[in-house]
Amino acid sequence: MRHVAPHRLAGSLSARQERHVAGCAQCAASLARVQAARAGLVLAARSEPAELSPAAEARAEASIRWTRIPASPVVRRPFLVGLGLTAAVAAAVIVWNAREPRRAAWASTSPAASAHRPAAPAPRPDRLEALVTLIGGDVQLARGDAPARKLSIDTRLGATDRVTTAGNARAAAQWSEGSGFLLDGDSELFLARLEPRTQRLELSRGQISVRVGPHEPGESLHVITPDHVVSVHGTWFTVASSQHTTTVEVLEGTVEVTDHDGSSSTLLTAPARATFGRGRTAQAPLSGREAARLRAASEMNFLPWTGLDAARAASGSLMVASQPQAELAVDGVFLGATPLQLRRPLGRHYVELTRADFKSLHQWVAVGPEGGELHASMVHAPPQPDPESAPVEIESMVRRRASQIRACYERRLKRDPSLAGTVSLRLRVGDAGQVTRVDVEQSTLPDPLVADCLRHEAAGWSFAQGRNATVVYPFVFRTQ
Amino acid sequence: MSTGKLHAVAGPAAQPDLVARCQKGEKEALGELYRLYRAEVARNLHRMLGPGRGDLEDVLQEVFIEVFRSIGRFRGDAKITTWLYRVCVNVALQRLRKRKRRAEVSSDDVGERAPDIQSAETPERALDNMRRLDAVYRILDELSPKKRVVFILHEIEGREPKEIAGIVGAPVLTVRTRLHYARKEFYARAATDVRLDGGLATKSEVRS
């Protein structure tokens, strides 16, 4: 191989090179690998993708529905940066689109386009109302010119309502199946439009999480901050606004963030976080842990939805307070710190209250049409070592299964005597202590079969201690 | 080497006004455009990103979101297929850069990939093909995204440097330079990559 560079071997060999390779084991091995790589390229050319899943088709349909075609494209901008519109046109499109989304597609004035224009304007859609599903802390509602009053769990929110939350407060509301918002503390939200086909939420300050469920064709949702417009392509995301900066975190789907002046537009696809300032953008992917934390923190306590009145009739309010304050989870979903007032479907619900150094409280609570209250006194107690909270006993398991683990490595060591490196496995431990999922977190071993073998080995483990946990464990392999 | 097939899709001869209708914002036309080209775009992305990487459908959606947003800027200078391919390559490049940052291709991908048994003679050969394909894409993962793209367009898709230059928006000379260094890097890595050992391939198969 000293005589011939590997990329030259990809072509045909000269007689001299063939003579050299015939007498050099290392060169022969390299040549075989290069030829294997060439064969791999042939395979790549023949390889076909799997059939698209129905979910992919549905997402494409959603993308088509949410697409706005710029009315008069004049400027070529860098890829994925600009809308290719002048500021004025962009502003017009945004405003026009928000007013009547179905019309945006007919913005062209050409005769061909006018053929598709309806003879009479579409009837103005009905107003939409949102059902409050969660209230924690001091949440104020201002409606019209009336003075602000405390938001109640029975209030129906509608267009032109303004909701303001105090420091540690939060409020959630739902307007259709899987669609609604959670307003965090120290925030102010104006429901500029709340209609079946158009929702426009103006966030003056603070943070809002928004989820959008199944849509009807032509439906649009925009979250407007003082500087940016966040438009939805079917998703779960949060928007935070402060000091001319808008932070958007996308948990599902895709959102589009546009400057108010239309000067730039960015598509964010989950999982992603981006901060938009005036003229600058910082974008970073969300890690799995961050996304999980964000999901947990932005649960909106949604109800099964067949319409507001039906959802209201099939649910009741529940007030949960505790002394001292504790974290509340209902039916396994974390909803925030007490006191919290929430709406749940009629029936029994599992309420959990937890606080560090206090005994956790687990209780079934019946929610009826007349509503209910739960006032709990938390009992101070040092943490109890129990299988639920005990760490997963991975060390002792690795010691017990050392010979099987070593065998995975030694089998491959026979093929490559210099094989050495580290394989980190991520084990998910289920509620009975059994391993429910194994992933290779990282591997520095060139031979992937060692990691495969370890995965199969670890998949059969069951721990006596440790429940519902995820453990990452590095296995270091080296020759003696 | 010219092992790949050209996968530029046929123009929408049956719907000559499709692009114009898309530019006017007709949702039905966007749907038609999607249905007409989704398979080819998926195939091109599949080659660019590698099989079994799990994110093909996400990237496909990104491509079409970008296509729908940018179709108004398509001026007809190039064929719609070339323009689509350019969008496809740009989105793939972005995804590759993101992957490089996040090293999101985990080591357990091999186990999740179904071997293409139908096209192979035996299950053993199918498994061997799968491993070899995986090794090739792992080497490609180590190339810079720009080098990877020109390498794939030339070595797998069989496109000429001039055509690649039009797709990636770079001078032909730059494409040739990138291709030279990409080939050099790819085969140097392949020569020392033990994952390519022990295959069932024969020299005759490789040289055919």
Side-chain angles (χ1 to χ4, degrees), chain A residues 128-131 133 157 173-181 191 194-196 199-201 210-213 219 221 302 305 307-308:
Chain A
L128 189 68
E129 285 185 313
L131 186 62
T133 57
L157 293 176
Q174 178 179 3
W175 58 77
S176 67
E177 178 69 40
S179 296
F181 67 82
L191 304 176
L194 203 57
E195 294 162 6
Q199 297 96 43
R200 188 179 164 102
L201 313 177
V210 181
R211 284 186 80 171
V212 183
E219 201 175 325
L221 184 144
F302 281 162
W305 198 267
L308 185 135

Side-chain angles (χ1 to χ4, degrees), chain A residues 1 6 18 24 44 56 98 152 168 261 333 354 387 407 411-412 423 472:
Chain A
M1 293 301 292
E18 279 191 356
C24 171
S152 127
N168 291 322
D261 61 7
V333 178
T354 50
R411 267 200 293 275
R412 304 305 298 172
V423 178
V472 176

Side-chain angles (χ1 to χ4, degrees), chain A residues 338-350:
Chain A
T338 56
L340 272 178
Q341 197 174 10
L342 52 130
R343 188 168 276 283
R344 294 300 299 152
L346 301 177
R348 278 156 58 81
H349 297 278
Y350 192 60

Side-chain angles (χ1 to χ4, degrees), chain A residues 60 63-69 105, chain B residues 18-19 21-36 64 67-69 71:
Chain A
S63 303
I64 293 167
R65 261 184 251 138
W66 296 113
T67 294
R68 294 192 311 247
I69 304 294
Chain B
L18 183 62
V19 173
R21 284 168 54 217
C22 286
Q23 288 177 330
K24 285 169 196 159
E26 282 184 36
K27 303 282 178 188
E28 296 79 14
L30 295 178
E32 280 174 39
L33 187 80
Y34 169 75
R35 284 185 288 278
L36 197 60
F64 275 100
V67 165
F68 297 156
R69 290 175 63 216
I71 190 90

